Amino acid sequence: NTCTTPTRNQLDLRMTKNFATVRSQRAELQVDVFNVLNGVGRLFCDKAEYNAAIAKGRALPGSCGLGRYTTISGGNRNLYSTNGFVGDQVKYVPQTTFGNETVIGSNLQLQFQAQIALRYFF
């Protein structure tokens, strides 16, 4: 009577390059990219397919779903729900939203993002 939450895919990437400076000192350039799959998914996502999937409450097709955090929560996890009583017996009806995914938040932690840092060692 319930279903499980979908798997999540996330890929973070760090690139580092060291540069020698004066004497034994050095500079280090760092580029961090977080949730690369979400960025790739948004870049190559077919907008028509994306809108159709959202309208139907279905999983996002192809690259659209990469890196997105989704869950199946609340009433979407129940195959049947109660719909009153018939005499002394509970009346059950099938849920039309069973298994529909919803996106978990839209905060920056879940988004595709990048940062650049420069460190100097002396």
Side-chain angles (χ1 to χ4, degrees), residues 25-120:
Q25 299 176 11
R26 65 185 169 95
E28 181 180 83
L29 178 65
Q30 293 178 346
V31 177
D32 293 307
V33 184
F34 303 100
N35 206 353
V36 174
L37 294 176
N38 197 358
V40 169
R42 288 183 181 207
L43 182 64
F44 295 108
C45 180
D46 182 334
K47 299 301 179 200
E49 288 181 8
Y50 173 84
N51 291 334
I54 293 296
K56 293 179 182 177
R58 301 230 168 110
L60 296 174
S63 67
C64 295
L66 289 175
R68 292 179 55 92
Y69 284 18
T70 59
T71 186
I72 300 173
S73 59
N76 295 349
R77 294 186 70 180
N78 298 326
L79 183 56
Y80 293 100
S81 64
T82 58
N83 192 19
F85 294 90
V86 176
D88 61 349
Q89 294 185 352
V90 178
K91 181 180 174 187
Y92 292 98
V93 293
Q95 284 286 84
T96 58
T97 60
F98 176 72
N100 288 358
E101 295 181 15
T102 54
V103 176
I104 299 175
S106 60
N107 61 24
L108 289 177
Q109 194 173 27
L110 304 176
Q111 304 295 322
F112 171 72
Q113 56 183 313
Q115 71 182 17
I116 299 173
L118 179 64
R119 297 172 64 183
Y120 193 80

